[in-house]
Amino acid sequence: MKSEKAGPEPSFRSDVTVELVKHSASDTDVLWAARVSTAGEQSLDELTKDPERSKGLLNYLMRDRHGSPFEHNSMTFFVTAPIFAFREFMRHRVGWSYNEESGRYRELRPVFYVPGEDRKLVQRGRPGKYEFLHGTPEQHKTVTEAMEESYRRSYAAYQEMLEAGVAREVARATLPVGLFSSMYATCNARSLMHFLGLRTQHELAKVPSFPQREIEMVGERMEEHWRHLMPLTHAAFNANGRVAP
């Protein structure tokens, strides 16, 4: 197969993007759901007239793991990240819905992931008890050059097959998991907390987690959006060790 490239020039990036597309999510949603068990239907004024009581109830629900009230809300994110991060993402199935762009129905764009200089490259220790260390300038140079060369060759092969009339769903097999993809991901606060507990590291977490940095970057951006939507729920999550109810 020829190595000449056809089509657009590959580009390389080290970031991810997370956009909050739409939402129906507030602390009031949790309070509403929780208080129906004892008070029946309540007005918004009744739910919010005592802020300290609201904080206390949210903390109680989080602490004692009464989780269902945290499900009565919704957030939809548009995520752009490398495919290997999405493969980890889709381990999270309860309370999540996904729709990802398809290489069967569209020509995939040549945007590929290359670690930034701040990305730790060296793993030390045995599985289950390891740490990551910063690489040397020489290691970063090796990684960047090897990835970019591999990406260029794989995308050239992809374009060559398309030019020859091969179906997109067949030609895409040559593309690597470092290719950027995009998806809509919809969740509720409870499912997002489960995700954050596993896919982010945090000093307040009771249970240590060792996420791959790229999916952690997605989680950090999702958490920032959620923090603004549901500040009291987010505070209770942190106050109780970042363990989802």
Side-chain angles (χ1 to χ4, degrees), residues 127-142:
K129 191 177 182 180
Y130 58 83
E131 61 178 336
F132 280 93
L133 307 174
H134 287 286
T136 64
E138 291 76 18
Q139 287 172 321
H140 277 279
K141 182 174 184 292
T142 296

Side-chain angles (χ1 to χ4, degrees), residues 123-160:
Q123 180 179 333
R124 183 173 67 184
R126 58 181 174 81
K129 191 177 182 180
Y130 58 83
E131 61 178 336
F132 280 93
L133 307 174
H134 287 286
T136 64
E138 291 76 18
Q139 287 172 321
H140 277 279
K141 182 174 184 292
T142 296
V143 167
T144 299
E145 291 180 352
M147 284 188 171
E148 290 187 1
E149 179 185 2
S150 175
Y151 292 152
R152 292 182 190 277
R153 293 181 65 181
S154 67
Y155 197 75
Y158 173 69
Q159 286 291 316
E160 185 174 350

